[in-house]
């Protein structure tokens, strides 16, 4: 697995990635608490559509280094920036799933749009997870505290329950198999515990509403109406009202993990959006 070395002021962090195909680049940024392996169904389809597809492991997850600190969105977006610079990428399409939407927005507002073509936010946490007076549809503080407590006291038990909810899983094997849940658990359970908690605090606490208004590139927002992990009312429906030149596509029956359950439709929508020259 290739690696870039991101040299910060205090340390060097190895970010592992895969790089397949040729053509205009697409970078896939995975959700919490998985790795680039979550993009299995997208990588094949996007390479077949003529793109160069790059998917990397967020620091602390997969095979990337897990520094003790540095899981806020500034640090995470700096890894994305380092990847783009070191691979000398131009006209990049960025796709952020769930937590990964935060890296996309923070990258654009911190580093600009010179190297970016379009972005897609898939089942994303953008713009704000936490409930506030001006975000009544958000997750209450007590619910987020319960997640952190569960991660600190019995992380593996929490993860074993998290993945079924990711897909609105039913015991009859719909909409994914039990083996898919086992696979996801094997990925998330091997992430660094401190990174799992640190990254969770980032997606829980970061308010992207002001930054969303600064996004100037064409944006596709895809979200499942049946998403019980990141409800559409506090995420995509707000994001489309904040991000200029954005379009929301709703999958009526899709859960959070629509990259698996609705892979064919998602792949088709991404290719059509990236190829549409009028956007």
């Amino acid at each position: 697995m290739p690696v870039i070395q991101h040299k910060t002021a205090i340390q060097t962090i190895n970010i592992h990635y895969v790089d397949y195909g040729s053509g205009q680049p697409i970078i896939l940024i995975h959700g919490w608490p998985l790795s680039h392996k979550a993009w299995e169904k997208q990588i094949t389809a996007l390479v077949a559509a003529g793109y160069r597809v790059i998917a990397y492991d967020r620091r602390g997850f997969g095979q990337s280094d897990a520094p003790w600190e540095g899981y806020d969105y500034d640090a995470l977006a700096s890894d994305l920036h380092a990847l783009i610079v070191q691979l000398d990428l131009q006209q990049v399409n960025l796709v952020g799933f769930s937590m990964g939407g935060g890296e996309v927005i923070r990258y654009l507002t911190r580093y600009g749009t010179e190297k970016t073509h379009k972005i897609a936010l898939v089942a994303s946490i953008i713009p704000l997870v936490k409930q506030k007076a001006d975000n009544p549809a958000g997750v209450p503080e007590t619910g987020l505290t319960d997640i952190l407590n569960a991660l600190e006291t019995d992380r593996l038990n929490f993860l074993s329950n998290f993945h079924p909810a990711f897909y609105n899983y039913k015991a009859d094997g719909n909409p994914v198999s039990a083996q898919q849940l086992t696979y996801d658990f094997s990925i998330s359970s091997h992430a660094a515990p401190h990174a799992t908690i640190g990254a969770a605090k980032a997606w829980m606490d970061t308010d992207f509403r002001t930054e969303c208004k600064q996004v100037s590139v064409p944006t596709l927002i895809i979200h499942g109406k049946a998403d019980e992990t990141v409800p559409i009312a506090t995420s995509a429906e707000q994001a489309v009202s904040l991000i200029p030149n954005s379009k929301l596509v709703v999958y009526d029956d899709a859960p959070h993990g629509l990259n698996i359950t609705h892979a064919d439709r998602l792949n088709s929508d991404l290719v059509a959006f990236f190829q549409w020259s009028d956007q």
Side-chain angles (χ1 to χ4, degrees):
M1 195 171 177
V3 60
I4 64 156
Q5 291 191 326
H6 180 196
K7 296 182 179 180
T8 71
I10 59 174
Q11 60 192 327
T12 297
I13 302 170
N14 292 310
I15 301 295
H16 289 257
Y17 66 96
V18 295
D19 188 347
Y20 301 117
S22 59
Q24 186 180 32
I26 296 174
I27 298 181
L28 303 174
I29 305 156
H30 67 82
W32 179 94
L34 296 168
S35 75
H36 83 277
K37 291 182 181 295
W39 292 112
E40 176 180 339
K41 292 182 179 292
Q42 282 65 56
I43 291 173
T44 300
L46 295 174
V47 170
Y51 290 94
R52 177 183 178 184
V53 181
I54 300 160
Y56 68 95
D57 289 339
R58 178 180 291 109
R59 62 168 71 186
F61 298 82
Q63 296 185 47
S64 290
D65 286 354
W68 188 248
E69 297 179 326
Y71 295 95
D72 60 279
Y73 272 111
D74 279 351
L76 299 177
S78 73
D79 292 337
L80 172 57
H81 176 65
L83 182 72
I84 291 173
V85 170
Q86 292 188 36
L87 296 184
D88 193 23
L89 302 177
Q90 307 294 330
Q91 287 294 295
V92 183
N93 295 306
L94 299 176
V95 182
F97 179 87
S98 194
M99 177 183 183
E103 273 111 322
V104 173
I105 299 299
R106 183 58 53 86
Y107 168 79
L108 294 177
T109 57
R110 188 172 184 186
Y111 299 102
T113 61
E114 179 183 357
K115 296 180 179 294
T116 307
H117 179 230
K118 299 179 182 181
I119 68 170
L121 305 175
V122 180
S124 172
I125 55 92
I126 297 297
L128 174 63
V129 172
K130 184 178 291 186
Q131 185 182 74
K132 294 185 176 182
D134 60 351
N135 187 44
V139 180
E141 180 86 32
T142 54
L144 299 175
T145 300
D146 287 345
I147 292 173
L148 293 176
N149 288 338
L151 289 170
E152 291 169 352
T153 57
D154 194 345
R155 180 178 62 94
L156 298 182
N157 183 60
F158 171 84
L159 293 173
S160 70
N161 293 312
F162 176 78
H163 294 297
F166 204 81
Y167 299 108
N168 300 353
Y169 177 74
K170 304 297 187 295
D172 61 2
N174 287 312
V176 297
S177 66
Q179 288 75 17
Q180 179 69 51
L181 302 182
T182 301
Y183 181 61
D184 285 7
F185 178 78
S186 72
I187 297 170
S188 64
S189 62
H190 283 90
H194 63 277
T196 303
I197 293 170
K201 291 177 179 178
W203 61 253
M204 288 178 182
D205 295 338
T206 309
D207 186 344
F208 289 99
R209 288 177 292 183
T210 298
E211 289 175 79
C212 284
K213 298 175 184 178
Q214 301 170 29
V215 174
S216 60
V217 298
T219 302
L220 176 65
I221 302 168
I222 296 177
H223 215 96
K225 196 171 184 178
D227 190 331
E228 297 177 2
T229 303
V230 180
I232 193 171
T234 191
S235 54
E237 290 180 353
Q238 291 194 55
V240 74
S241 69
L242 294 170
I243 301 174
N245 197 16
S246 65
K247 175 185 178 181
L248 172 61
V249 176
V250 178
Y251 296 1
D252 287 339
D253 60 341
H256 190 57
L258 60 83
N259 58 310
I260 301 296
T261 62
H262 292 65
D264 289 344
R265 182 178 178 186
L266 173 61
N267 297 340
S268 177
D269 285 345
L270 289 174
V271 170
F273 175 64
F274 294 144
Q275 289 181 345
W276 189 15
S277 61
D278 291 338
Q279 277 289 329

